[in-house]
Amino acid sequence: MTSQLKLWLTTALIAGATAAFTAPAVAQNEQQALVNQAETTLSNFMRDPEMKWLQQNIHRAKAVLIAPEIVKAGFIVGGSGGRALLVARNGGKWVGPAFYTLATASVGFQAGIAASEMVTLVMTDKGMNSLMASSFKFGGDASIAAGPVGAGAKSDVTADLIAFSRSKGVYGGLNLDGTIVSSNDDWNKAFFGKPALPPDILIKGAVSNKGADKLLAEIARVAK
């Protein structure tokens, strides 16, 4: 495969993934479904005996990015994409969520389809500020590291974002370097009933939706 063809296929993959995950929503139930799925994902990680480091350090996080499903598929050219939401601390309480899309592409020998769920702890102001932009790249604008996994994990990890993933019993197998994280303004508008950017939702606290109450209560409980 020529380098030009690889570049064309990679560009097409990113465009397709972004379109698939950023199409305007016409009904709020799609956003509410993601919020409900995020609560389930968080509960899964907090019960998992292999996620001791996450469970013991989530209280240090400034925000938590949750992606209930990241789909990775490819044959020769591969990529991954999904929807995520971010909840953050604000004045002693948890607020949100703000909705995001994730998209990445890679070129190499690979085949098959896999799905992972992910919880990423935002540990620094730099990581938080990156997520307030309309889009940014994991590993570029903010450093990202895979979180320690295992019942006895005691590693001290230093990064702006620390990511944990699970996929059918396989832990930490998702490489997020180069992933583009973009604010999903259509989904934010649909969920809150008016236009709202991540800073409006997570810093100014200008909007809220009772549909997020259970998720926010759960994150407050596990991160106290």
Side-chain angles (χ1 to χ4, degrees):
M1 182 182 292
T2 67
S3 59
Q4 285 184 328
L5 181 56
K6 287 181 180 179
L7 178 61
W8 181 86
L9 288 171
T10 301
T11 303
L13 178 65
I14 294 176
T18 302
F21 289 106
T22 59
V26 296
Q28 188 189 25
N29 61 357
E30 292 183 275
Q31 292 77 38
Q32 186 63 58
L34 187 66
V35 171
N36 297 343
Q37 291 162 8
E39 183 188 351
T40 299
T41 290
L42 179 64
S43 296
N44 289 342
F45 277 74
M46 297 308 296
R47 292 195 307 266
D48 191 329
E50 297 296 312
M51 293 290 170
K52 290 297 184 185
W53 196 97
L54 167 65
Q55 296 158 11
Q56 294 168 0
N57 290 274
I58 193 171
H59 70 279
R60 297 169 47 206
K62 296 179 179 294
V64 180
L65 182 71
I66 306 171
E69 184 175 72
I70 299 175
V71 177
K72 181 177 181 180
F75 181 77
I76 305 302
V77 175
S80 60
R83 298 187 180 99
L85 58 79
L86 184 71
V87 291
R89 296 181 190 272
N90 184 331
K93 66 178 182 178
W94 286 86
V95 297
F99 294 93
Y100 294 82
T101 60
L102 312 176
T104 189
S106 60
V107 177
F109 294 100
Q110 54 185 298
I113 298 175
S116 300
E117 55 182 344
M118 177 196 73
V119 171
T120 299
L121 304 185
V122 182
M123 305 300 290
T124 67
D125 289 335
K126 181 178 180 181
M128 187 66 183
N129 291 338
S130 294
L131 283 159
M132 294 302 99
S134 58
S135 68
F136 83 102
K137 181 188 292 187
F138 278 145
D141 302 318
S143 62
I144 186 166
V149 174
K154 298 182 182 300
S155 302
D156 186 17
V157 182
T158 302
D160 299 311
L161 304 109
I162 303 176
F164 298 82
S165 64
R166 309 186 332 153
S167 177
K168 295 182 179 178
V170 177
Y171 298 90
L174 190 65
N175 183 2
L176 294 171
D177 268 345
T179 296
I180 303 297
V181 184
S182 303
S183 172
N184 193 328
D185 297 338
D186 291 322
W187 276 50
N188 287 330
K189 180 180 179 180
F191 189 68
F192 293 108
K194 61 181 180 180
L197 300 176
D200 300 323
I201 301 166
L202 302 170
I203 296 176
K204 299 177 184 177
V207 292
S208 63
N209 185 322
K210 290 187 178 297
D213 285 355
K214 287 183 63 178
L215 172 62
L216 296 175
E218 179 63 10
I219 187 68
R221 184 185 71 82
V222 302
K224 62 183 178 181

